[in-house]
Amino acid sequence: MILGRIPVNPDPPVTNMMYLYPLILILVIISAPLATAQSDQPKQAKKLSHPDNLIPLPEPPELPKELADPPPLPPDIQPDPELETQVTIIKRGEDTIEEHRVNGELMMIKVIPRIGPPYYLKKNISRGHTHAGDAGIDVSPPMWQFLKF
């Protein structure tokens, strides 16, 4: 047994398929215009047709005098300062905490951390509903805002 090198031909073998691909491409290019030219009937634009028995809509009636004029605007109502939201901003290190109070009662806390999106802690208004994990706390779990529109 003789061990030696197997001769390697660097040129790939030439096959008949290599000559067939350009021929197929040429046939496709030539046949495309011929296929579109074979239609004997000219293309006609579609004509919109309406039925002959259409009846026009009647004119809308005029509004009564009471409804023709817009109603007067209500007088400016001054908001109650006790019902306005008071916001207290507290800085703790690099975090910012906003306390939102209505009539002196804490309703919501917005925590803006240095890293990450802000989250909200809201007062749990539904006291009739208790959850096993609540343990009597009036604050809901942290909430993040995903969409705003």
Side-chain angles (χ1 to χ4, degrees):
M1 178 193 276
I2 299 176
L3 297 175
R5 260 175 98 190
I6 301 173
V8 176
N9 188 0
D11 297 327
V14 178
T15 61
N16 292 337
M17 292 299 287
M18 292 179 72
Y19 298 110
L20 189 60
Y21 292 133
L23 181 62
I24 291 173
L25 181 64
I26 291 171
L27 288 174
V28 168
I29 292 173
I30 291 173
S31 64
L34 294 176
T36 58
Q38 286 182 354
S39 64
D40 295 335
Q41 300 172 350
K43 293 182 179 178
Q44 298 176 357
K46 287 188 174 184
K47 183 180 175 183
L48 294 176
S49 61
H50 298 288
D52 296 332
N53 60 351
L54 288 180
I55 301 172
L57 289 174
E59 292 294 323
E62 291 189 23
L63 290 174
K65 180 74 173 163
E66 304 86 39
L67 298 177
D69 296 330
L73 294 174
D76 289 337
I77 299 173
Q78 298 299 325
D80 188 4
E82 291 182 2
L83 297 179
E84 289 292 317
T85 304
Q86 295 101 23
V87 179
T88 307
I89 299 175
I90 303 168
K91 288 282 206 178
R92 286 200 183 148
E94 296 179 359
D95 296 345
T96 304
I97 299 171
E98 295 179 5
E99 293 181 349
H100 296 259
R101 296 179 185 271
V102 176
N103 201 12
E105 186 178 356
L106 183 62
M107 298 301 285
M108 179 181 75
I109 298 174
K110 178 180 180 183
V111 180
I112 306 169
R114 183 181 70 88
I115 299 174
Y119 60 93
Y120 300 87
L121 300 168
K122 291 188 177 182
K123 181 179 179 181
N124 218 358
I125 298 175
S126 60
R127 293 185 181 214
H129 165 244
T130 58
H131 188 267
D134 286 348
I137 299 175
D138 287 341
V139 178
S140 66
M143 295 183 281
W144 284 265
Q145 183 176 14
F146 292 118
L147 297 174
K148 183 177 184 180
F149 50 94

